[in-house]
Each structure stands twice: as structure tokens, then as C-alpha cells.
Amino acid sequence: MKISIFGLGYVGAVSLACLSRDGHDVVGVDIEPAKLDLIKNGKTPVVEEGMVELMAQVAASGHVSVTTDAVQAVLSTEISLVCVGTPSAANGSQDQGAVLRLAEQIGEALKQKSEPHVVVFRSTLVPGTVEDVLRPIIERASGKRDGVDFHLCFQPEFLREGSSIRDYDKPPFTIVGANHEYAAERLQALFGHLPCKFLKTSVRAAEMMKYCCNNFHALKITFANETARLCGALGVDAFEVMDLVCQDTQLNISKAYLKPGFAFGGSCLPKDLRATTYLAKTHDLELPMLSGILASNRQHLDLALDKLLALGKRKIGFIGLSFKTGTDDLRESPLVTLAEQLIGKGMQLSIYDPEVHLASLLGANRSFVQKHLPHIGEMLKGDLAEVVQGSEVLVMGLSGAEIAAQVAGLARADQDLLDLVNLPNKADFKARVQGLCW
Ligand SMILES: NC(=O)c1ccc[n+]([C@@H]2O[C@H](COP(=O)([O-])OP(=O)(O)OC[C@H]3O[C@@H](n4cnc5c(N)ncnc54)[C@H](O)[C@@H]3O)[C@@H](O)[C@H]2O)c1
């Protein structure tokens, strides 16, 4: 393929070297003539393992050329990879100056081009940038249409500095955000041979998932480091502890707990977080990430409260009360807290939870609910239909296909439903279903 690469930093230079090594004709474009001179002379503009040898090899192959002329680069190729920098501005926002200027130039080039052209944004871009910002610029400058005359897509880059050639050849996956088949097909032809999954998604989801990956990496590092600070203060071997944590691939290093839903609660997570942060305090340690978790969890609960209050209705039916589906444990259940808050605002509640039977609640579980919902006996109903029929608003806090089907069969068109569990059958509801944040 004939490929132009814009921005010859870590991402662009490594892509140029690897794509030309794989037999493609690559035109490299940068605004820094010094970088272009290096590449022209078979030298690498970035310090990366294997790049010295690879750049010398590909420059000699005749598959690489360089230019500062963006328009010419587009005209002489069929696909453009945009890898320019998107650094932080002083206020923390993304500085998109380079990519905006480039979009203008790509548009001008496309104006002169009659063959189809694919533009792949590989720079990390805040969600919405390609569709809301870059596409209008390119369409205006070219007088042409995305998906008709040219094809925009977003393909996040996952290479890590220091191992970028190895990462190029063995990425975790290839993700292509494309609204049209043509762009995805061209990228499959280019990267489909790599030993990983090739996943197609929307442009916005691809933009967002890149941030999600980097944020998750930062979160993991900070988790290990905060744990190590506490371990250090307690005289525990942090490496041994984190090693043991990583041995659990069922709950720790796994998909578990990585699904959006309602706030967490129960008899373990909140109390153990509180004990951890208290312990840190007694050793004069700051653990801002761990200390922030309960505050974030509370924000999630408050979001549900705000959404319910915004509906302006008084009769609210809870489907589910315990801290998770399938248990009668009410201790620190976020649904109990939500119910408590709503009662405090003068709402009338009725509650159905097939696992919660007042007569059989014992010990700490019983005293927790008696303290927070002293009138639970009047609110708790044994019959789902009674709760649904008597409510203007339903709060769905139980997951599972069976209960979802039962509620869908009973809910009326004049009712609102706040979905805290990502109902699998939203389309089956006559009621107005509103997800918590989905
Ligand atoms: N570095 C990484 O490990 C990595 C990994 C994944 C994704 N990313 C993302 O990829 C993008 C590029 O990162 P990088 O580290 O390679 O950046 P970089 O700063 O090393 O390189 C960017 C290059 O773009 C050039 N440039 C700027 N404006 C230009 C223009 N108008 N036309 C042509 N070239 C222009 C610069 O001169 C520079 O050489 C960023 O959005 C970054 O967030 C980086």
C-alpha cells in the first residue's frame, strides 16, 4: 500500500519503519526538517530498541521518502496515518493545534483528489474530536463528504516507548473506530496479519477506550504504589503482597468488577476501605486514590438520587434492596441509603426483594436496616405486582433475565423506571426506562 504518515515522533517514526519493513511504500511528513533529514539518511529520530538497525535497513530499501509538503503526501498515497502530538495545554485540556492545522491541509489535498482516500487518526484524541471537529474541517476544506469521497476513522495506538517495535508487531489488539466499512477493510488489509484480535467499533468508542486504557494503567500503577507505601510503613514486603494479589485471576486480574452499574456496598468493601485509610493516617501516610474511592462511590449514589428527585414524583417502588442480587445482606447496601434519602425527602416507598424477609433478618443485618429504615416493615411487600402497580417510579436494583422479564410484563407506559443494573430487555418495557449513566 502507499501510505503517508504525519508526525514522525515515537508513534509515527516506528510506524514508518515497520510499515516500510513490511513492504509498503511510506511517505513521512513532519514540520521539523531535522527529523526528515535523519530519516532520509537512514537514522532514527527517536531512541527506541531496534530502530537504529531498522531505519538503516528501510532507508536503503527505497520504500521510504520524506517531505514537509502535506498536500503532496496525501496526493501520492491512498491512506494517511495521522500521528502528530496532542500534548496538554496549560489548563489541562488537550492541545489540538497540530491536528487541527493538519486537518485543514488534508482537506485541501482531498479537494484535488478523485480516488478514494482513507484518513486514519492515530493520535490520542478526546472523544468526539474526529466526528465533531476534524470531519467538519476536512469536509469544508475539501468540499467533499466523509463516507462518500473520503473515509475517516480512528485507530488508537498502544505501543509503549522502550518496546515500541515489539509492541507494533504484537499489540494487545487492533481497534478500529469507523462509521463506514471501506476504512475498516483497508485497515484490516494493513494490520489484519498481526497476532491479535481485530475489533471494529464506533469512532467515539475507539477514542474513549484509548483514554480508558491509559487511565486504567495509571490507576493500576498508583494502586500498586499506594499499597507499597502502606506496606513500607507496616514493614510488609510490598512485592510479595502485590505478587499474591496478581495470583488471583478470578477476581483481581480479570473482568470481574469492571462492569458499570450501581454503587458498591455490603459488609466488606466500605468497612475495609475505611480501615485501610485510617491505618494509613495513623502512620502519617496520604493515600489519595484509596481515600477517594468512597467519595466517588457516594457520587454515584447521589446521581441516582438526583435523577429520581428530578422526576418530581412521590410514589417510588424499589425492586431490590440488598447490596447485591441473590443475598439478603442489607449492611451498607447503597439501595438502603438511597431509600433512606428518598424517605427524608418525603417520598413514599414500597420495596420488593425476594431475598429479604424481615422475620429472618438477624444480628448486624437486622440492626443496620432498623437503624436506617425503621419503617421497613410497612414498605416491604412480598408481591412484585403490588409494588409495581402502586408506584409512579420504579427503581430497578435487581439483575437477572427472569426478574427483568417479570418487571417488563408489569410496568406501565405512565411509569418511569431508573435502571441501575443495565436491563437486558429495555426494549420490552412500556415504561420510560432511564439508565443511571448509560
Ligand atoms: N509516545 C507513545 O508511547 C504513544 C503511544 C500511544 C499513543 N500516543 C499518541 O500518539 C500521538 C503522537 O505521540 P508521539 O509520542 O509520537 O508524539 P511526538 O511528540 O514524539 O511526535 C509528534 C510529531 O508530530 C510532528 N508534528 C507536529 N505538527 C505537525 C504537522 N502539522 N504536520 C506534521 N507533523 C507534525 C512533530 O514535529 C513531532 O515530530 C499523541 O497523540 C500521543 O498521545 C503516543
Side-chain angles (χ1 to χ4, degrees):
M1 246 183 247
K2 290 185 189 312
I3 304 162
S4 42
I5 298 184
F6 294 84
L8 300 171
Y10 287 89
V11 171
V14 171
S15 302
L16 172 138
C18 293
L19 284 165
S20 51
R21 172 204 65 190
D22 295 346
H24 301 287
D25 286 326
V26 185
V27 181
V29 187
D30 205 289
I31 48 171
E32 279 191 40
K35 286 197 177 180
L36 301 183
D37 283 343
L38 282 170
I39 293 173
K40 212 179 338 181
N41 294 315
K43 305 242 163 44
T44 175
V46 295
V47 177
E48 276 296 310
E49 188 187 296
M51 271 296 275
V52 170
E53 303 77 12
L54 191 54
M55 276 311 304
Q57 178 197 321
V58 298
S61 73
H63 284 302
V64 176
S65 62
V66 289
T67 179
T68 51
D69 187 340
V71 172
Q72 205 46 49
V74 171
L75 292 176
S76 63
T77 56
E78 57 202 283
I79 183 164
S80 296
L81 308 184
V82 176
C83 310
V84 297
T86 48
S88 277
N91 65 2
S93 65
Q94 182 171 59
D95 178 351
Q96 300 187 328
V99 78
L100 295 180
R101 277 191 295 280
L102 199 54
E104 199 73 51
Q105 291 173 308
I106 290 173
E108 281 160 26
L110 293 174
K111 194 179 188 174
Q112 305 170 37
K113 195 167 177 185
S114 49
E115 303 84 42
H117 193 89
V118 177
V119 182
V120 190
F121 290 99
R122 308 224 52 194
S123 302
T124 302
L125 295 169
V126 290
T129 303
V130 171
E131 290 175 337
D132 300 345
V133 182
L134 300 172
R135 178 165 61 195
I137 294 176
I138 298 176
E139 288 191 335
R140 188 172 21 78
S142 65
K144 295 185 173 168
R145 297 280 310 279
D146 175 31
V148 181
D149 313 294
F150 63 89
H151 307 270
L152 297 185
C153 60
F154 182 81
Q155 185 196 358
E157 173 59 65
F158 299 111
L159 62 74
R160 295 163 299 174
E161 287 176 28
S163 57
S164 53
I165 295 179
R166 270 180 284 136
D167 289 343
Y168 177 95
D169 288 326
K170 197 175 179 304
F173 42 26
T174 301
I175 307 269
V176 175
N179 298 335
H180 307 282
E181 263 311 299
Y182 182 75
E185 276 168 19
R186 299 308 289 153
L187 283 175
Q188 182 125 33
L190 205 52
F191 298 111
H193 66 284
L194 293 171
C196 63
K197 282 186 192 162
F198 185 94
L199 302 173
K200 280 179 255 171
T201 184
S202 68
V203 172
R204 278 177 138 77
E207 289 171 320
M208 184 66 199
M209 75 78 59
K210 173 63 193 173
Y211 277 94
C212 208
C213 291
N214 277 354
N215 295 342
F216 194 37
H217 300 163
L219 178 101
K220 283 166 67 171
I221 293 167
T222 305
F223 179 80
N225 287 342
E226 285 200 357
T227 301
R229 296 212 288 281
L230 186 56
C231 284
L234 299 173
V236 182
D237 183 338
F239 296 101
E240 193 184 351
V241 168
M242 284 311 297
D243 233 30
L244 289 168
V245 166
C246 294
Q247 300 285 332
D248 171 3
T249 52
Q250 221 166 291
L251 300 181
N252 290 347
I253 311 303
S254 74
K255 286 184 181 177
Y257 304 116
L258 281 172
K259 265 210 178 96
F262 194 36
F264 66 79
S267 64
C268 295
L269 304 190
K271 92 170 164 58
D272 292 350
L273 268 166
R274 278 195 293 269
T276 307
T277 47
Y278 186 85
L279 187 61
K281 248 189 274 173
T282 62
H283 287 82
D284 292 330
L285 274 179
E286 296 279 346
L287 303 180
M289 196 181 98
L290 288 173
S291 312
I293 293 176
L294 284 174
S296 174
N297 201 45
R298 180 68 209 203
Q299 289 284 325
H300 215 56
L301 199 148
D302 288 347
L303 177 63
L305 181 64
D306 290 347
K307 290 211 160 186
L308 289 168
L309 294 179
L311 292 170
K313 308 266 173 69
R314 280 178 55 79
K315 291 183 183 166
I316 301 187
F318 270 49
I319 298 143
L321 186 66
S322 65
F323 89 97
K324 68 175 172 189
T325 304
T327 171
D328 70 346
D329 198 347
L330 299 169
R331 287 172 295 170
E332 300 219 33
S333 166
L335 287 165
V336 170
T337 314
L338 185 62
E340 193 181 5
Q341 298 279 318
L342 289 166
I343 291 165
K345 297 276 182 193
M347 307 293 161
Q348 280 173 25
L349 259 60
S350 59
I351 300 167
Y352 171 77
D353 190 321
E355 306 298 336
V356 177
H357 305 286
L358 210 47
S360 50
L361 292 180
L362 298 169
N365 198 10
R366 188 180 186 86
S367 44
F368 180 84
V369 77
Q370 276 175 342
K371 182 172 168 217
H372 291 272
L373 295 178
H375 303 296
I376 185 169
E378 295 150 36
M379 294 181 279
L380 205 56
K381 314 285 178 197
D383 182 16
L384 173 66
E386 190 186 342
V387 169
V388 175
Q389 275 152 21
S391 304
E392 295 167 292
V393 177
L394 298 168
V395 176
M396 188 62 186
L398 285 181
S399 51
E402 202 179 312
I403 185 79
Q406 284 173 21
V407 179
L410 291 166
R412 305 183 305 268
D414 64 324
Q415 291 174 314
D416 289 286
L417 184 147
L418 181 63
D419 171 18
L420 303 178
V421 294
N422 190 22
L423 282 162
N425 57 341
K426 297 179 193 71
D428 300 343
F429 278 78
K430 292 193 197 84
R432 291 176 292 272
V433 175
Q434 190 187 159
L436 179 59
C437 43
W438 50 83

